Amino acid sequence: MLLKNGYLHTGNGDIIASAAIGIKNGTIVLLKNSLAYSHSVSDWDTIIDLKGKHVYPGFVAANSTLGLTEIDAVRATRDFHETGIYNPHVRSQIAYNVESEVIRTVRSNGVLLCQPTPRGGVISGTSSIMAMDGWNWEDATILANDGVHINWPNSTQRMADNRAIQEKSKDYGTQKQELYSFFEAASSYASTKKPEKDLRYEAMTDCFREKKRVYFHADDLQQLNDIIDFVQYFKLSAPVIVGGYDAALVARKLKDAKIAVMLYRPHSLPKREEEAVNQPYSTAFKLQEEGVLFCIQNEGDMEAMNARNLPFLAGTAHAYGLTEEQAIAAVSLNACKIIGIDKKYGSIETGKSATLFVSDGNALDMRTNNVTFALIDGKIVDLGNKQKDLYIKYKQKYQQGIK
C-alpha cells in the first residue's frame, strides 16, 4: 500500500508537507517526499491519494480503563477493580474486551493503542499494552504485563468540614513503611530460591530485573519527593509517575532520577485556591522546558469514554506552550517511550509498524478532527461506531419531511 500527498506529522518532531508512505506486511518500508518520488502503478497493490490531508501516528491512551469497562454505572461491566490491597498478580490483559462499543467510539478519533490499567488497592495490578482492534485479547496484545501500578499513600487529607484546605495525613508514615516492607520482601523473594511460589511476589520479580516498569500514582509534592527516594533505594528501572500534579515543582529532580511522567488530564481545575486557573493547561509546557519525558493521559471521571478527547487534551497543551509537534508527541511517541514500545510504535518512520491515521484537518482541534482512514499494524480499521450510526439514522428520519 502507498499513501501519497499527505501532510505528515511523523510524531518525532518532523513534518513532511507532501509525503509518500509505503507499507508492506504491516511495516513502513518507504518514507519520502511525494514530489521527489516517482513510481508506477505496478509498484503497489493499492495507491491512495490523500490530497493534502493530515497523517498522524496512532495516538496512545495511556493509563486507561478502556476495554475494562463498558458502563461505569453497571458493576457487571466494570472489570478494572479487584478486591484486596496488594494485587500485583492481577493482569488487565486477559480482561480486555476487544468487542467494546466504547473502543469503537474512541478509535474513531485517532486513538489506536491503549494501556488498560487496573485500579484500587495499594498495588492495583499489572497493565498491558493493547491494540484497539483484534479478534480477542491475545490477538490485540502488543506488550503483555508491561508494569505494576502502585497507588502511593496520600500525604495530605481534607479537613473535617471538607474544605479545600488540607492537612498532613496522620497515617502517611505508617502506610509508606508498609509499602517499603512489601517491596523489601518482594526484592528478597526475587533474589533467592523459592521453595514455594507466591503469586504476588512472582509478579513483582521482573520489577527488580529491569524487565517490568513500576508506575507510581501520585500528585502531591511530598509524595513525589518520597517516590524519588523510594526509586533510588530499590534501584528500580524505568519508574513512572502517573498523575504528577506537582511534577513541575520537582522537574529537575525527576529528570536527574530518570523518572518519566504520565501527566494528569489537562482539562482540570486547579487543586488549590492560590493557583492560577490555567495551571493544569500549562504544566506540560513546564515539563517540556525542563527536559522531563512525559505524556498526557486522561485518568478521571468517565475516563474510558472520554479517551476520545485525548487529541484535544494535547491541543490544549499546544495552546498553552507546547509546539504542535511536541503536543502530538505527548500522545504518541512519548507515551510509547514511557511504556516501552517506541522501537515499533509511536512515530511514522521506516521499519516501524504502520499504525497511523488520516484526518481531514488538524487532529488536535475538535473543529477539524475528522478521521477518515486508520491502520493498526497495516490493517485497515473500521471507523464506524454506534454514535455515527445513530446520527445517520436520525438525520434521515428528519430529512424525510423536508421537500
Side-chain angles (χ1 to χ4, degrees), residues 186-317:
S187 178
S188 298
Y189 180 90
S191 60
T192 58
K193 293 182 179 180
K194 299 94 177 170
E196 294 183 8
K197 277 194 174 183
D198 184 303
L199 291 180
R200 297 188 306 166
Y201 293 151
E202 281 289 333
M204 295 293 299
T205 296
D206 284 344
C207 296
F208 304 101
R209 296 177 178 173
E210 300 184 1
K211 295 181 180 180
K212 189 182 276 189
R213 284 161 171 72
V214 181
Y215 297 91
F216 296 94
H217 294 243
D219 284 311
D220 295 337
L221 183 61
Q222 180 68 58
Q223 293 176 296
L224 301 184
N225 279 317
D226 288 343
I227 289 170
I228 293 172
D229 294 338
F230 187 90
V231 166
Q232 293 172 344
Y233 180 83
F234 287 103
K235 299 179 181 179
L236 300 175
S237 63
V240 181
I241 299 290
V242 182
Y245 184 88
D246 286 334
L249 301 178
V250 287
R252 291 189 180 182
K253 290 183 68 175
L254 291 172
K255 181 183 178 182
D256 292 342
K258 298 181 180 179
I259 299 177
V261 178
M262 287 183 171
L263 195 59
Y264 65 97
R265 184 187 295 180
H267 291 177
S268 303
L269 291 172
K271 290 178 63 176
R272 306 177 184 98
E273 293 180 353
E274 67 273 14
E275 293 171 339
V277 70
N278 64 352
Q279 176 162 318
Y281 310 151
S282 58
T283 302
F285 173 68
K286 295 173 183 176
L287 295 181
Q288 182 76 38
E289 288 285 278
E290 294 292 343
V292 177
L293 176 61
F294 75 94
C295 70
I296 293 173
Q297 48 97 13
N298 186 54
E299 182 179 8
D301 295 339
M302 298 182 65
E303 64 186 72
M305 299 74 178
N306 284 330
R308 68 186 185 277
N309 292 325
L310 185 66
F312 313 137
L313 300 184
T316 297

Side-chain angles (χ1 to χ4, degrees), residues 6-9 21 50 53-57 348 356-359:
Y7 190 92
L8 174 61
H9 306 264
I21 307 167
L50 300 180
K53 294 182 180 181
H54 292 252
V55 186
Y56 298 87
I348 300 176
L356 53 86
F357 70 92
V358 177
S359 173

